[in-house]
Amino acid sequence: MSLRRVLVGVAAVVALGSAGCSASGTDGSGDVKAAAPAAAAADDSGDGKDVCAHLKKELPRIKAVGSEVGAMAQLAMSLAGFYENHEKLADGEALDAQTEKACPEVRAEILEAAGIKSFADL
């Protein structure tokens, strides 16, 4: 399964859960109010600095899980949160290319902990 497909699935679950909680008011006519659209614009920078900083921060948590399957799940959830504001980077091959350039050591440690050879495998 591709990283994009996993992240889209996780994001859909989060969005559905949030929508169910926030769309409970009415406008007086009995119609349910629509949830407000996301205000933050997506940051789609492609230099890899942001994702590397994120991965470096998450590395201790991912390693602490203790199993490859658990680390892979932790990594997928972490990246799903990161990609809420970095949508264009939500591609395993793009992530591989960026992290190979910007932070190869962190990339290697994360991939080893998750038992995968590339982010495209996630």
Side-chain angles (χ1 to χ4, degrees):
M1 186 178 298
S2 73
L3 173 61
R4 180 175 286 281
R5 186 172 287 165
V6 169
L7 295 177
V8 168
V10 170
V13 170
V14 171
L16 288 174
S18 297
C21 294
S22 65
S24 60
T26 64
D27 62 5
S29 66
D31 294 333
V32 175
K33 293 181 196 176
D43 173 12
D44 296 323
S45 62
D47 63 5
K49 290 179 187 174
D50 289 343
V51 75
C52 286
H54 176 78
L55 291 174
K56 187 173 184 177
K57 180 184 83 174
E58 292 294 311
L59 184 59
R61 281 184 253 200
I62 290 168
K63 284 179 146 183
V65 172
S67 75
E68 288 180 349
V69 172
M72 195 182 316
Q74 181 71 30
L75 177 58
M77 291 297 294
S78 173
L79 288 172
F82 176 79
Y83 286 129
E84 287 179 10
N85 293 321
H86 300 81
E87 195 174 288
K88 288 184 182 175
L89 303 178
D91 176 83
E93 291 176 8
L95 185 58
D96 282 326
Q98 288 179 348
T99 56
E100 283 173 354
K101 284 174 137 177
C103 55
E105 299 85 13
V106 172
R107 176 184 185 276
E109 286 187 67
I110 289 271
L111 295 178
E112 181 180 344
I116 55 178
K117 294 183 189 251
S118 76
F119 289 107
D121 294 340
L122 188 59

